[in-house]
Amino acid sequence: MQTLTITQADDWHLHLRNGNMLQNVIAHSAKQFQRAMIMPNLQPPITSVELALEYHAQILQSLPSNSSFEPLMSLYLTAETPITEVAKVAACNATQAFKLYPAGATTNSAAGVKNLTSIYPLLAAMQQQQVPLLIHGEVTDPKTDIFDRERLFIEQDLIPIVAEFPELKIVLEHITTTEAVQFVESMPDNIGATITPQHLHFNRNALFVGGIQPHNYCLPILKRESHRQSLIKAAISGNPKFFLGTDSAPHLQTNKENACGCAGCYSAPVAIELYAEIFSQEHALDKLEGFASWYGADFYNLPRNKTSMTLQQQTWTIPESYPVSSQGNLIPLKAGASLNWKLIEPVK
Ligand code: DOR
Ligand code: ZN
């Protein structure tokens, strides 16, 4: 049976939530990944190093006892973030970056940034102190067509930011369009991007196959097939600007299958297998290790992992659901679908 052993992978964009949800999802990511960049869009948001360290401790306490999983924290950037917080992030090993949510762009983004120029002094400090800026890149004007929001953010907001702060480290998170791929490719090494499994597997038709499909709804929304093809090309290119970030975002089944369903795909339990499926289909499994295990660490100037993980070629079926104790279920991305690569446990 064919196997593939690669350096242990990291997830450079992950939502773990807190409380009971955290307790129920953390083991899934810890089984698959050595490290993850933890998103700060809790309620209330993680806006300071102090809050990030409290959240970091909660995550560590929730881990299975034998796990060496390392959460790396991002802070929620607001117009009120004190400039002194930038130096604190730079000085603390557990905190790595700031996350920019344009206000209203997505789940728990109400406290985000309304006017991007208001945070320019913070971006100047981040550039100077080499603290990366992670961006949810969508314009928020509700009149803008939802399928155009990422492209317009690049044109209207990101190009001016890059012009003003040419040395700022930026990760354009969960890219979804040909324009985002081209933008990142055209930039110097300080600009990278993460790519999710859902944007590699699905185009926007997947939102409406035989009826509305709430578990395929995330933000930025799935785009047309030509964009998916651009993302696949970028992911398998071996270009170190593109690396793995699942954007796994757990919402209870009842909050997804709802008249106003939440945005977010839960991919954590099956993430590496979902990526392997795409790389295998493209005859590019030799490029998986760079994308999943090397380029993100390199971008953040962190050491590559020393441990390895092994996938085996075997057909298996993604579970229909995962229980969340006393609350309901999570429906994973591609629930019930069959995959051809499986992570062999234990991973370490
Ligand atoms: O689909 C999404 N869900 N996109 C985001 O940007 C946030 C995330 C969440 O937190 O649920
Ligand atoms: Zn996210």
Side-chain angles (χ1 to χ4, degrees):
M1 205 175 270
Q2 208 187 327
T3 61
L4 174 70
T5 297
I6 59 172
T7 305
Q8 179 80 45
D10 300 310
D11 182 352
W12 295 104
H13 186 125
L14 176 64
H15 299 268
L16 286 176
R17 318 303 189 200
N18 53 9
N20 192 46
M21 184 65 90
L22 168 63
Q23 305 286 339
N24 281 270
V25 301
I26 181 70
H28 292 149
S29 289
K31 202 175 81 182
Q32 294 238 335
F33 297 106
Q34 175 59 38
R35 294 172 287 201
M37 185 65 69
I38 310 302
M39 291 300 123
N41 61 332
L42 303 189
Q43 262 176 328
I46 304 296
T47 49
S48 66
V49 170
E50 193 184 342
L51 289 172
L53 290 177
E54 275 172 30
Y55 185 28
H56 185 257
Q58 277 174 41
I59 296 168
L60 292 181
Q61 277 160 18
S62 309
L63 277 170
S65 53
N66 59 349
S67 175
S68 62
F69 179 80
E70 293 166 61
L72 303 169
M73 311 311 288
S74 64
L75 267 67
Y76 194 113
L77 191 61
T78 77
E80 288 75 45
T81 301
I83 203 121
T84 47
E85 213 61 25
V86 177
K88 290 189 192 165
V89 169
C92 174
N93 280 340
T95 56
Q96 291 286 336
F98 281 95
K99 176 75 188 279
L100 166 59
Y101 289 102
T106 188
T107 308
N108 295 343
S109 64
V113 177
K114 293 196 178 77
N115 169 8
L116 288 176
T117 51
S118 71
I119 58 161
Y120 273 23
L122 286 159
L123 301 189
M126 289 165 61
Q127 171 174 254
Q128 208 239 327
Q129 296 178 60
Q130 297 267 299
V131 175
L133 174 68
L134 318 183
I135 301 184
H136 183 112
E138 290 194 282
V139 297
T140 54
D141 178 354
K143 291 203 244 19
T144 303
D145 191 287
I146 192 168
F147 295 101
D148 295 335
R149 289 178 190 177
E150 181 177 277
R151 177 174 61 78
L152 291 174
F153 181 88
I154 294 169
E155 287 172 19
Q156 295 171 10
D157 298 310
L158 191 50
I159 289 176
I161 288 175
V162 167
E164 190 75 19
F165 305 104
E167 277 159 37
L168 179 60
K169 283 189 116 164
I170 294 177
V171 182
L172 190 52
E173 299 289 339
H174 41 54
I175 57 170
T176 63
T177 56
T178 302
E179 289 84 354
V181 170
Q182 289 171 347
F183 170 79
V184 172
E185 283 173 347
S186 73
M187 287 287 127
D189 291 349
N190 55 316
I191 316 266
T194 52
I195 303 180
T196 76
Q198 62 267 27
H199 294 107
L200 293 174
H201 275 263
F202 289 137
N203 63 40
R204 63 193 190 177
N205 288 350
L207 291 163
F208 308 109
V209 200
I212 198 152
Q213 298 291 334
H215 300 290
N216 296 340
Y217 172 56
C218 66
L219 291 171
I221 199 157
L222 299 172
K223 305 297 193 298
R224 60 170 67 238
E225 178 63 12
S226 58
H227 295 290
R228 185 178 82 94
Q229 289 300 328
S230 298
L231 297 173
I232 292 176
K233 257 178 89 181
I236 67 169
S237 66
N239 183 338
K241 290 167 152 295
F242 300 103
F243 44 88
L244 186 159
T246 63
D247 199 13
S248 177
H251 293 279
L252 289 173
Q253 179 176 13
T254 44
N255 293 333
K256 296 282 295 172
E257 298 173 13
N258 187 296
C260 186
C262 294
C265 296
Y266 187 55
S267 60
V270 292
I272 195 68
E273 290 99 332
L274 286 168
Y275 286 107
E277 195 75 15
I278 296 289
F279 281 68
S280 166
Q281 280 167 13
E282 299 295 319
H283 307 288
L285 276 173
D286 60 320
K287 297 292 198 312
L288 182 65
E289 185 172 37
F291 175 80
S293 315
W294 293 346
Y295 305 147
D298 296 351
F299 183 89
Y300 284 100
N301 291 326
L302 293 167
R304 293 180 183 178
N305 293 321
K306 303 275 185 301
T307 47
S308 60
M309 68 199 303
T310 299
L311 295 148
Q312 192 172 63
Q313 195 170 27
Q314 75 180 71
T315 303
W316 65 290
T317 304
I318 299 181
E320 293 291 347
S321 69
Y322 293 88
V324 177
S325 45
S326 74
Q327 285 191 310
N329 288 306
L330 291 168
I331 308 300
L333 186 62
K334 298 203 87 169
S338 96
L339 290 177
N340 295 302
W341 286 88
K342 193 161 193 339
L343 179 62
I344 302 174
E345 299 167 58
V347 293
K348 294 181 195 92

